[in-house]
């Protein structure tokens, strides 16, 4: 099997920066609550801190679970076959196969 091109496998940089941004905002809100705890301001800071923490958690979950799968464009040498346990054929264009790596548990 000859690999012609490989794509995917990366993570979204903007999503990582968003998770960091929301996480820092959540930490800053909680620190402000601890330093300046008053009734009305306290509740606003807690709500904004919880919103930031939830946003950071959701973006981090997206980054970890929604990474683009690794795909290879390959050609087969005569007599060779694609390992079905390791790869799934996504597309075929003539003699070029686009295969995707399977998860370990699939």
């Amino acid at each position: 099997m000859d690999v012609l091109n490989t794509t995917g496998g990366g993570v979204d940089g903007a999503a990582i920066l968003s998770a960091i941004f929301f996480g820092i905002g959540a930490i800053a809100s909680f620190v402000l609550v601890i330093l300046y705890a008053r009734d009305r301001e306290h509740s606003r800071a807690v709500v904004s801190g919880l919103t930031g923490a939830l946003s950071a958690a959701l973006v981090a979950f997206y980054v970890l679970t929604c990474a683009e799968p690794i795909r290879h464009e390959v050609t087969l040498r005569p007599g060779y076959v694609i390992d079905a346990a390791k790869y799934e054929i996504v597309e075929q264009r003539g003699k070029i196969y686009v295969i995707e790596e399977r998860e370990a548990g699939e």
Side-chain angles (χ1 to χ4, degrees), residues 24-85:
I24 290 172
I27 291 169
S29 295
F30 288 126
V31 167
L32 289 174
V33 166
I34 292 169
L35 294 177
Y36 305 104
R38 295 193 183 131
D39 293 329
R40 182 172 288 179
E41 294 172 10
H42 177 72
S43 63
R44 288 181 188 166
V46 168
V47 169
S48 85
L50 290 175
T51 303
L54 179 63
S55 300
L58 289 175
V59 173
F61 176 76
Y62 168 78
V63 167
L64 294 175
T65 60
C66 297
E68 193 175 327
I70 298 173
R71 290 187 175 185
H72 306 283
E73 292 181 355
V74 299
T75 57
L76 295 179
R77 296 178 184 170
Y80 284 82
V81 294
I82 296 173
D83 183 7

Side-chain angles (χ1 to χ4, degrees), residues 10-23 55-56 58-60 62-63:
V11 294
D12 189 3
I16 292 173
L17 290 176
S18 296
I20 292 170
F21 173 76
F22 286 122
S55 300
L58 289 175
V59 173
Y62 168 78
V63 167

